[in-house]
Amino acid sequence: MRMAVPELDAGLFTTDGELVIRSWNGWLARVTGIGAEEALGRPLATLFPEIEARGLLSRFRRVLAEGVVEVLSPRLHHYLIPCPPPFPSRRFPLMQQRVTILPLREGERVVGTMVLLEDVTARLEAEREPKATGMPEEVLVRGLREERWPSRQLALEQLAGEGGDETIRALLQLLQEGHEDLNVLTSVLHVLIHTDADITAPLCRFLEAPDAALRTYAALALGERRDREALPALLRALDDPDANVRYHAIEALGKLQATEAVDRLLQFVESRDFFLAFPALDALARIGDPGIAPRLVPLLRDELLRAAAVDVLGHLGDADVVAPLVALLGEPGMPVRTIALALATLYDRYEAQYGEGAVIAELARDALDARAVPPLLEEIREAQGDDLRPLALVLGWLEGPEVERALVRLLAEPAVHKEVVQALVRYGPRVTALLVDLLRSEDPGIGRAAAVALGRIGDPAAVPALVEALSGEEGLAIEAAGALARIGDRRACEPLLALLGHPNAAVRRAAIGALNSLGHPEMPGRIREMLLDPDPRVRESATRIAGYFAYPECRERLLERCQDEDEAVRSAAVEVLPYLEEARSMALLARALREDTPRVRAAAARALGQVEGGDALTALLEALGDTEPWVRYQAVRAIERHASPEAVEPLAQLVRSDSAIPVRAAAIEALGAIGGSRVVALLAPLVDAEEADLARSAIAALGRIAHPDAILPLLEALRSPDVMRRVEAAAALGRHAESGVVELLQWTAAVDPDPRVVQAAVDALERMATPEALAALLSLSADPGRHEVCIRALARPSQGRIEALARGLHHPNPAVRCAVVEVLARLKHPAASDLLAGALEDGHPSVRLAAVTALARLGNRRAEQRVAALAREDPDLVVRRAARQALGLRQEEG
Amino acid sequence: MGFYRETLGLSDSAFVLLRDLIHERTGLYFEDGKREMLADKVAPRLIELGIESFLDYYYRLKYDEGNEWGHLMDALAVPETFFWREMDQVHALVEILVPEYVESARPAPLRIWSAACSSGEEPLSIAMALHEAGWFDRFPIQIDASDASPAAIARARLGVYRERSFRSLPPGLRQKYFREEAGGWRISPALHARVRWHLANLANLNEIAPLAGAPFIFCRNVFLYFSNEAIRRTVSCFVRHMPRPGYLFLGASESLLRVTNELELCQVGSAMVYVKR
């Protein structure tokens, strides 16, 4: 295995599967005093024995076994490799390091690790610098009792950041003895919640204290700290004799997303205990186990808990909860908005995850009846803002004249146009008359939305009204043109031709687009006449249409338009020249590029990007010296399409010295299209350019160049403090197939704090779609914070995806195997379903549960026998319950 | 070449660049789900300029000197406004706050600023309400109105309005303050002259600072389209320049709760107002 180890301002080394060092970069040699020749070939644990003594080798072994990324936080582990800090430090005798351990792969096999060490000593030193006070810690602890908030706040900030072991002990004692003082309580809790010190054990001991208040605060603090080590103690606290303790234990378990607590929490909910049922419902929502939904359905009949149960069902429920939710709508006194929101949430989730929002809509339609109409209409009349959309969505699933009228009135609300138009289109021609009336609305937004809906309905009865709308307000005319094109009725041609001279360019363009779509046998003759129209706007429009169809009968007049007296006409004419297959085109373009006005020269430059051959390139290279920056810009863009090495030096000159940033940025991107090592050397320094557009272009260009030298500057850009540069760098790296790129992207996705960068890295891995990249995504999916983004990416349909995913069903980590099941379920493919059936045999109950749930939703009958066996025999109660539910579902359908 | 919007594809990267530039310069923020809306609003500008890509338009906006930003603001402006909209706050101003101001001998003239006035219906509604209460005869009052859209300010300066603007105005007031003419209804010149019209972008703190010294600022139904960060910047500018007490009126569905605590939300009459104390 070979891995290029670039020079970085950070430590980078690799090991093989036995943790023998295989590469060692110059930075490490400098800071450790251990050169590469001494390090290479030696086991990591031999070179640094304390790594094993400190228990850190297990992290390496986990990376090797499971292909995950491990991060060693400086706050907890301080360093991996002991070495002095780069500058004398008051606080740290050794360099503080942030360490990332990544899997190195060959194919899908993890064959080693790559380790990145970043020196964070200076940052931590600065963070812990006391603010001017220099006060001893005991003074700060006393400061927590201060009446005045600013004094307490100062003490809090310092203690939370730097409280040592003695301080933490003092604070725990203070909590135990002084919690009746509210100032003390809030202050101490704040410090304990935010401290890096390990205080789980003492707080868990507080959960057994005789003082109920202390037990309560301990539960609160453990929940805020989200420390899973406290789980057993918190579970026991659910039986505490004090209701406040139970309350906070419930909340804490929700924050920990403790699936282990689900059954107990359900018991609290089903007990209908007013004080505890609500936090239990909230905790269940946070935990997110969809299997609980059937047990919440009966709560829909409980007046007090109903609204909360509806909300949770919207987030966790499946298709089975649609009918019970919908049934409520027809009853008096129901929380209609909450129910509509739950149904909309369910719809959106199904649409996003499975592309099956229509299933929810269909089920709702089947269950809805006329009794639901009046309450929905009443709510919609009063609703505003975010409340509107769910109500409009659900109303759109109903039928009837009252519903149709209400929906049509909702076209006045731009926020729900999409839902309303969708529903109206579903109603079809029966709402044509209602919509036609709206074309004349005083509100232009309503008229436009009505035109869009009419176009999608496609009823020719709307044509006369849409034709009339062409002479209305400009936005309406544009939408009416689009609608007429969709309907495809040639009665619209003549009125559309009349718009070709409209003063508004967007209206003219919409008319052009509609005419291009409609076509008409008389068009060539009409357009030929219009090419000589006295109105330049008409000539320009005719030029575009003639160019689009390349009518032979229009050819000569079209070529003449290249010398039209009007600049816009000439510009349109040169734009269409490449599409005419006309020998004279090149000469006309070259002349326009040399001699015409800036606008026409820019159009000619752009058009030459579509013309092959050396003459076009020659003309474009000459145009790089044009006095107008927008002409140079279009010339560069066109040269990019040619991607000729001949252009490297002229483009490099522009990058160095053009006065216009857009020209330089375009030249950078054009160089990226050409590629090669010389280009990489030119572009690499620009990833750090002060000017953001130049840096962005350089990063994108390096992404296009298939050369290993392009990787290091992209890696530097991945570490940029600028978020957008990191996003661009992740996307650019994804276009490289060199060894090590998958690891870098996996690292980025695992550790970058910005979700946009994570998304970019995940998308890059998904696009690469190599077995290594998919394996990296599967490993990432085990991280709860990356789970959904990875699942969504993996579930995008792609050739060969299923086979690659199948191998993930043998991953050592059950969380990864569960992720594979989830992805297979979303792919909705017969081959995927067969694999899911295989997952019913998995050794881990969580995987079997995921497979049962997925197969139930997909309705796979072939697995029914096996599911029945699980329902009888599975050793895990939750799996047996899910299997019974799955069979129950199918029995109802049968 | 199909419909013009379909040929002008708005790629992910161009959308982000354009969206972020517009946000930086105007405060308006188009979330990811509003990509099509942004493309729809901006596409006519591309066509007008003969530009074929949104990336090219981004460069044109960012680096070209000229008045394209004004045209873009016209395209992005949300034109929905009408006379006598959300009048609780105007009534609170006229019936409670103006009398308090006058009685406490605060400086003359009493300044009112309608920021984001669009085509002028809001400041003219305020002027009508003040005139109905006789305030123009009792105390010097100066009403400034601004918008970032040159086309909107041009319509405001013209002072001619169509039927849709009158849907909430009591008929008696229309008869009193407007005359019908070809093309619509013209505001009374005397009332129209009560308002001074300005072109000002709420995201450009230099442009709004001179106006923000007013003790009464109406900035309604515009922050809906801003990011929290842009709201924070603009409101901080208001707070820096407003006298004490100063009153900021926002739209009924707007709130500064998650944005800033520099102002206190208070009830005045039946209206909610943010107050600088």
Side-chain angles (χ1 to χ4, degrees):
Chain A
M1 167 196 58
R2 292 185 59 219
M3 167 72 190
V5 181
E7 273 312 304
L8 282 180
D9 185 21
L12 189 65
F13 72 89
T14 61
T15 77
D16 61 16
E18 306 302 320
L19 295 178
V20 173
I21 295 172
R22 291 304 179 199
S23 64
W24 188 256
N25 80 338
W27 188 91
L28 282 169
R30 279 194 306 280
V31 303
T32 62
I34 298 172
E37 62 290 345
E38 189 184 342
L40 294 179
R42 293 185 67 191
L44 182 64
T46 302
L47 201 58
F48 303 105
E50 67 164 87
I51 289 180
E52 182 152 30
R54 290 163 59 206
L56 295 177
L57 270 193
S58 61
R59 310 294 284 270
F60 283 82
R61 292 195 188 101
R62 185 162 175 250
V63 172
L64 289 170
E66 299 181 25
V68 296
V69 174
E70 287 276 350
V71 176
L72 304 181
S73 154
R75 290 189 197 280
L76 282 175
H77 303 285
H78 304 293
Y79 60 87
L80 175 69
I81 294 176
C83 55
F87 56 87
S89 166
R90 287 194 313 131
R91 294 177 176 277
F92 304 112
L94 293 174
M95 177 195 292
Q96 302 296 289
Q97 299 159 357
R98 184 168 185 267
V99 180
T100 314
I101 311 169
L102 301 133
L104 276 179
R105 290 187 168 85
E106 272 178 4
E108 292 162 64
R109 221 167 41 96
V110 178
V111 297
T113 67
M114 178 165 79
V115 185
L116 183 72
L117 277 86
E118 297 172 277
D119 175 9
V120 295
T121 314
R123 177 166 61 81
L124 291 181
E125 182 102 10
E127 279 173 11
R128 294 187 187 190
E129 202 54 41
K131 293 182 175 60
T133 64
M135 281 192 269
E137 284 184 349
E138 59 269 23
V139 174
L140 292 172
V141 170
R142 281 204 297 278
L144 297 180
R145 292 182 182 272
E146 284 287 327
E147 274 294 324
R148 291 179 60 249
W149 166 240
S151 307
R152 290 208 312 279
Q153 187 180 19
L154 178 63
L156 273 172
E157 283 173 9
Q158 299 219 220
L159 286 168
E162 58 180 271
D165 290 345
E166 281 306 315
T167 303
I168 297 302
R169 266 195 280 278
L171 288 172
L172 286 166
Q173 191 169 353
L174 201 52
L175 178 66
Q176 193 169 12
E177 297 168 0
H179 61 260
E180 282 158 14
D181 180 332
L182 196 57
N183 287 340
V184 169
L185 173 64
T186 54
S187 306
V188 169
L189 277 176
H190 180 93
V191 178
L192 292 177
I193 285 167
H194 292 101
T195 183
D196 292 332
D198 183 359
I199 57 168
T200 304
L203 284 178
C204 288
R205 281 196 295 277
F206 284 169
L207 277 178
E208 314 281 337
D211 185 337
L214 184 59
R215 298 200 302 275
T216 302
Y217 302 133
L220 192 155
L222 286 166
E224 290 296 329
R225 287 177 62 83
R226 288 169 168 75
D227 186 345
R228 288 195 66 84
E229 283 182 27
L231 204 50
L234 286 167
L235 285 168
R236 286 193 297 275
L238 290 178
D239 293 317
D240 195 285
D242 188 284
N244 280 320
V245 178
R246 297 200 298 277
Y247 180 102
H248 284 287
I250 289 170
E251 278 208 330
L253 288 163
K255 285 174 185 159
L256 282 165
Q257 295 181 297
T259 51
E260 299 88 337
V262 165
D263 273 337
R264 290 300 314 281
L265 293 172
L266 275 169
Q267 284 167 13
F268 281 113
V269 171
E270 289 165 339
S271 73
R272 310 290 212 265
D273 179 325
F274 180 80
F275 184 61
L276 296 177
F278 283 98
L281 271 171
D282 189 60
L284 286 166
R286 284 174 186 255
I287 292 168
D289 176 0
I292 66 164
R295 287 176 68 175
L296 296 185
V297 169
L299 294 178
L300 297 179
R301 295 289 149 201
D302 184 301
E303 200 177 322
L304 279 174
L305 293 175
R306 175 182 300 134
V310 166
D311 186 54
V312 177
L313 284 171
H315 287 99
L316 298 185
D318 60 11
D320 287 344
V321 309
V322 172
L325 284 173
V326 161
L328 296 179
L329 284 173
E331 297 180 25
M334 288 296 154
V336 173
R337 288 193 200 189
T338 309
I339 297 166
L341 181 58
L343 289 166
T345 305
L346 199 46
Y347 172 91
D348 290 340
R349 181 157 46 86
Y350 264 60
E351 186 61 24
Q353 289 185 2
Y354 314 117
E356 285 185 349
V359 165
I360 301 301
E362 197 63 44
L363 287 168
R365 233 173 262 131
D366 288 344
L368 279 164
D369 64 32
R371 288 177 304 157
V373 173
L376 279 168
L377 291 179
E378 191 177 325
E379 286 295 329
I380 270 201
R381 271 193 284 276
E382 316 265 329
Q384 287 184 30
D386 291 344
D387 288 341
L388 265 176
R389 185 198 166 246
L391 290 164
L393 185 69
V394 174
L395 191 68
W397 296 337
L398 286 159
E399 309 243 338
E402 242 187 326
V403 171
E404 290 158 16
R405 281 195 295 276
L407 283 169
V408 158
R409 278 196 298 273
L410 278 176
L411 283 175
E413 302 290 341
V416 294
H417 272 178
K418 185 174 159 206
E419 287 74 24
V420 171
V421 167
Q422 196 173 319
L424 293 173
V425 168
R426 195 172 57 76
Y427 296 149
R430 73 174 187 262
V431 293
T432 297
L434 276 175
L435 288 168
V436 159
D437 277 343
L438 289 181
L439 288 176
R440 293 180 210 101
S441 169
E442 277 270 331
D443 182 339
I446 294 179
R448 286 180 222 156
V452 169
L454 285 167
R456 287 177 55 187
I457 291 171
D459 182 1
V463 168
L466 285 167
V467 164
E468 193 185 315
L470 290 176
S471 49
E473 175 267 333
E474 284 152 3
L476 178 61
I478 289 169
E479 298 299 351
L484 287 165
R486 284 198 168 87
I487 294 172
D489 187 319
R490 286 178 174 169
R491 285 180 286 169
C493 282
E494 200 56 47
L496 285 167
L497 282 167
L499 282 183
L500 292 184
H502 195 284
N504 183 296
V507 173
R508 294 199 301 274
R509 194 65 81 95
I512 291 168
L515 284 164
N516 289 348
S517 179
L518 286 169
H520 195 288
E522 289 174 19
M523 282 271 284
R526 294 296 303 279
I527 293 298
R528 187 169 183 274
E529 293 306 314
M530 286 178 152
L531 283 169
L532 297 181
D533 195 282
D535 184 342
R537 293 186 194 127
V538 173
R539 296 199 302 277
E540 181 199 344
S541 299
T543 299
R544 293 189 185 281
I545 295 175
Y548 178 74
F549 287 108
Y551 295 135
E553 49 271 78
C554 295
R555 181 175 296 258
E556 288 308 313
R557 289 190 181 180
L558 193 49
L559 294 177
E560 284 163 16
R561 298 291 54 76
C562 293
Q563 273 138 94
D564 193 282
E565 63 186 14
D566 185 273
E567 177 187 61
V569 178
R570 294 199 305 277
S571 184
V574 303
E575 276 174 33
V576 305
L577 281 176
Y579 306 106
L580 296 184
E581 292 185 5
E582 165 60 51
R584 290 167 281 177
S585 291
M586 183 62 225
L588 285 167
L589 283 168
R591 184 163 74 188
L593 186 55
R594 272 196 314 272
E595 299 172 5
D596 212 312
T597 62
R599 178 176 174 173
V600 180
R601 297 203 305 273
R606 194 164 58 236
L608 280 167
Q610 308 293 335
V611 176
E612 289 175 2
D615 288 348
L617 182 61
T618 303
L620 287 168
L621 288 171
E622 219 177 286
L624 294 183
D626 197 289
T627 52
E628 278 295 320
W630 292 108
V631 177
R632 297 197 300 278
Y633 175 84
Q634 293 298 346
V636 171
R637 287 287 185 218
I639 288 172
E640 183 180 341
R641 289 175 185 266
H642 287 264
S644 163
E646 195 183 328
V648 168
E649 202 38 57
L651 289 172
Q653 186 59 32
L654 285 183
V655 171
R656 281 191 287 268
S657 60
D658 197 282
S659 58
I661 298 283
V663 175
R664 294 173 65 194
I668 290 170
E669 289 173 28
L671 284 167
I674 299 170
S677 58
R678 167 151 162 65
V679 169
V680 172
L682 277 167
L683 300 184
L686 294 170
V687 298
D688 272 335
E690 204 176 305
E691 178 53 58
D693 286 325
L694 297 183
R696 177 180 49 77
S697 298
I699 292 168
L702 287 167
R704 292 171 76 176
I705 301 176
H707 194 286
D709 289 352
I711 299 207
L712 177 57
L714 291 176
L715 174 56
E716 290 289 357
L718 261 190
R719 299 171 63 232
S720 168
D722 182 292
V723 168
M724 293 318 295
R725 293 194 195 193
R726 299 202 305 276
V727 169
E728 296 279 347
L733 269 173
R735 295 184 205 110
H736 282 267
E738 281 84 353
S739 161
V741 168
V742 168
E743 287 78 6
L744 291 171
L745 287 170
Q746 184 178 0
W747 162 59
T748 303
V751 307
D752 200 286
D754 193 287
R756 293 167 288 181
V757 181
V758 171
Q759 185 72 59
V762 165
D763 288 343
L765 285 167
E766 192 269 326
R767 272 196 309 272
M768 288 172 84
T770 59
E772 299 91 326
L774 295 178
L777 280 174
L778 283 173
S779 295
L780 280 165
S781 70
D783 175 349
R786 304 291 185 256
H787 179 82
E788 184 55 31
V789 65
C790 290
I791 298 296
R792 271 202 313 267
L794 286 164
R796 288 176 201 145
S798 173
Q799 197 117 9
R801 179 68 50 96
I802 293 178
E803 291 76 16
L805 288 171
R807 292 187 274 276
L809 286 174
H810 305 288
H811 195 281
N813 186 334
V816 171
R817 300 200 301 276
C818 281
V820 174
V821 167
E822 204 173 327
V823 173
L824 291 170
R826 293 192 196 190
L827 286 172
K828 293 181 294 178
H829 189 283
S833 288
D834 290 343
L835 289 169
L836 286 173
L840 292 172
E841 312 298 333
D842 194 281
H844 199 282
S846 66
V847 182
R848 296 196 302 277
L849 173 63
V852 166
T853 309
L855 287 165
R857 201 186 57 73
L858 293 169
N860 184 313
R861 291 191 179 277
R862 277 180 288 180
E864 203 165 298
Q865 217 172 11
R866 185 62 194 129
V867 172
L870 290 180
R872 288 190 307 272
E873 301 157 2
D874 195 282
D876 187 276
L877 166 66
V878 176
V879 175
R880 291 200 304 276
R881 185 177 71 206
R884 281 199 293 275
Q885 279 171 13
L887 292 170
L889 171 71
R890 277 201 277 286
Q891 280 162 9
E892 279 168 18
E893 286 178 351
Chain B
M1 195 197 318
F3 303 108
Y4 73 91
R5 269 170 290 177
E6 284 147 19
T7 62
L8 301 169
L10 180 54
S11 69
D12 288 354
S13 53
F15 166 68
V16 170
L17 287 171
L18 197 52
R19 188 262 306 271
D20 289 352
L21 180 64
I22 290 172
H23 178 232
E24 182 192 310
R25 301 281 183 95
T26 72
L28 297 171
Y29 188 72
F30 290 83
E31 296 141 2
D32 289 351
K34 300 262 171 74
R35 179 212 292 253
E36 222 176 274
M37 181 188 291
L38 178 60
D40 279 355
K41 286 179 180 283
V42 174
R45 292 307 310 151
L46 272 69
I47 293 168
E48 190 66 43
L49 293 169
I51 290 177
E52 294 289 324
S53 90
F54 284 94
L55 179 62
D56 291 359
Y57 185 67
Y58 159 79
Y59 282 131
R60 181 71 68 100
L61 265 186
K62 190 170 177 182
Y63 295 106
D64 230 19
E65 290 162 13
N67 59 355
E68 183 53 29
W69 278 103
H71 291 301
L72 180 62
M73 289 310 298
D74 289 342
L76 296 177
V78 179
E80 173 63 8
T81 186
F82 46 92
F83 292 107
W84 232 242
R85 184 181 186 186
E86 293 178 24
M87 285 304 285
D88 280 353
Q89 290 170 323
V90 178
H91 292 315
L93 170 75
V94 171
E95 292 161 17
I96 299 173
L97 295 175
V98 167
E100 272 177 15
Y101 184 96
V102 170
E103 279 158 29
S104 52
R106 290 182 70 188
L110 181 157
R111 293 177 55 196
I112 301 168
W113 175 31
S114 167
C117 69
S118 186
S119 40
E121 283 91 328
E122 179 183 84
L124 290 171
S125 298
I126 295 170
M128 275 188 262
L130 287 167
H131 190 265
E132 289 295 294
W135 276 110
F136 287 123
D137 295 330
R138 291 188 263 165
F139 197 83
I141 296 178
Q142 177 182 304
I143 305 175
D144 289 294
S146 68
D147 199 88
S149 162
I153 289 295
R155 285 197 302 277
R157 285 193 170 119
L158 186 62
V160 177
Y161 297 90
R162 294 208 277 193
E163 196 58 40
R164 190 147 176 78
S165 294
F166 295 98
R167 61 186 185 268
S168 290
L169 186 67
L173 291 178
R174 183 186 335 195
Q175 295 306 320
K176 185 171 177 180
Y177 292 107
F178 294 84
R179 288 287 173 272
E180 192 173 6
E181 59 178 50
W185 292 71
R186 182 179 290 280
I187 185 73
S188 134
L191 198 75
H192 194 239
R194 295 281 181 193
V195 181
R196 304 194 307 186
W197 307 101
H198 311 266
L199 193 61
N201 177 351
L202 283 172
N204 186 326
L205 305 186
N206 290 331
E207 286 181 7
I208 63 174
L211 296 163
F216 304 102
I217 300 179
F218 284 75
C219 188
R220 307 194 298 176
N221 302 305
V222 67
F223 284 158
L224 292 171
Y225 308 103
F226 276 38
S227 67
N228 282 347
E229 185 196 322
I231 298 171
R232 205 172 287 124
R233 273 201 307 264
T234 301
V235 169
S236 289
C237 180
F238 292 170
V239 172
R240 271 199 304 282
H241 291 95
M242 288 167 95
R244 290 178 205 275
Y247 300 87
L248 174 63
F249 301 86
L250 299 190
S253 51
E254 294 171 315
S255 165
L256 297 180
L257 180 63
R258 288 197 175 89
V259 176
T260 179
N261 55 8
E262 292 179 288
L263 300 170
E264 189 185 329
L265 183 62
C266 299
Q267 185 160 355
V268 177
S270 56
M272 301 305 291
V273 187
Y274 284 93
V275 184
K276 174 182 174 181
R277 296 207 185 277

